[in-house]
Amino acid sequence: MAIFITGGARSGKSGFAEAYAMNLAKRGIYVATSQIWDDEMKERTDHHRVSRERSGFAWQTIEEPYDVAELLVKLEAAAVVVGEGRDHDHDHRRPAVIIDCLTLWLTNQMLRLGEFDANDGESYRYDSGALSAEVNRLIDAVTTYTGPLLLVTNEVGSGIVPAYPLGRRFRDEAGRMNRKLAACCQQAFLVVAGIPLDLKAHAFQLEEE
């Protein structure tokens, strides 16, 4: 079962994802997509790591900033080999996998697939087609994964319009990615002020003619 979890900064989405994972399985795999570039990011990652260690839950942390889709394929294949495949999804034998977070993964991909313009040093160009292919590869991996999977992302389009072009492009790319992910997940939650709201349970459905 794939579970989509979004929210703003410090909304409590990661804490909710971890608590939900503990309810779904007896152990967990935490896929960290962040790369530590400065002291602030190190402080954030240390805070999450200490929180997991104090939970008493059996967490395995895997740092993977780029090849999340390939990692999911490998985890699925390993589960099939040991007999924890599709027929045993709900017996708590498979670990709950958290990917935290996919907007950082998207940032990593945009930086990997682009570069600053050599002429002015400010304009940033990236291969939007290659980025879309990476997102679709992730969607395929999420769709075919049969164990408990929790996808943490950020809702970045609800604030002011970014003042610079790269920020606006990132906002748009993140919005498109989140729509695709939410569509292929069985559950979707918006976490606001620490309160998770079940989006699909309350989604309005247009009547088909």
Side-chain angles (χ1 to χ4, degrees):
M1 177 174 65
I3 302 161
F4 177 84
I5 301 170
T6 189
R10 289 291 189 264
S11 62
K13 56 188 181 295
S14 293
F16 170 66
E18 292 173 18
Y20 198 174
M22 294 177 195
N23 186 259
L24 292 172
K26 294 181 179 179
R27 58 191 176 96
I29 297 176
Y30 189 96
V31 181
T33 63
S34 63
Q35 298 185 82
I36 300 176
W37 299 111
D38 53 32
D39 290 340
E40 180 184 0
M41 182 58 72
K42 184 178 185 304
E43 182 180 350
R44 286 172 179 263
T45 55
D46 286 347
H47 171 76
H48 285 298
R49 176 181 52 79
V50 171
S51 175
R52 291 195 300 274
E53 290 175 352
R54 289 176 177 175
S55 70
F57 191 68
W59 287 108
Q60 174 192 357
T61 299
I62 299 176
E63 296 183 4
E64 183 47 72
Y66 300 110
D67 295 326
V68 172
E70 182 180 356
L71 175 61
L72 287 177
V73 171
K74 290 180 179 178
L75 291 174
E76 179 67 17
V80 172
V81 168
V82 299
E84 296 177 352
R86 190 177 299 276
D87 293 336
H88 304 281
D89 287 351
H90 305 293
D91 66 0
H92 281 210
R93 290 202 294 169
R94 289 189 68 170
V97 176
I98 293 179
I99 300 174
D100 193 0
C101 73
L102 285 170
T103 35
L104 279 177
W105 172 83
L106 184 68
T107 299
N108 297 338
Q109 295 292 352
M110 289 182 69
L111 294 177
R112 181 177 69 87
L113 296 169
E115 60 184 1
F116 284 98
D117 193 316
N119 295 322
D120 59 24
E122 295 182 359
S123 300
Y124 190 82
R125 304 179 184 277
Y126 66 95
D127 188 336
S128 59
L131 181 65
S132 179
E134 287 295 332
V135 171
N136 289 335
R137 194 160 70 96
L138 174 65
I139 298 298
D140 290 341
V142 169
T143 302
T144 56
Y145 192 80
T146 59
L149 175 63
L150 300 96
L151 309 172
V152 180
T153 187
N154 286 279
E155 197 63 30
V156 299
S158 299
I160 61 173
V161 176
Y164 50 97
L166 181 57
R168 293 192 291 273
R169 288 196 292 271
F170 172 76
R171 176 202 59 181
D172 293 346
E173 296 287 6
R176 284 189 283 266
M177 177 188 70
N178 284 348
R179 285 173 61 185
K180 290 181 178 180
L181 285 169
C184 73
C185 288
Q186 286 71 48
Q187 292 183 318
F189 294 93
L190 171 65
V191 182
V192 180
I195 301 172
L197 306 175
D198 190 335
L199 296 177
K200 293 205 173 188
H202 299 283
F204 175 74
Q205 300 293 332
L206 288 172
E207 294 184 4
E208 297 183 2
E209 296 183 358

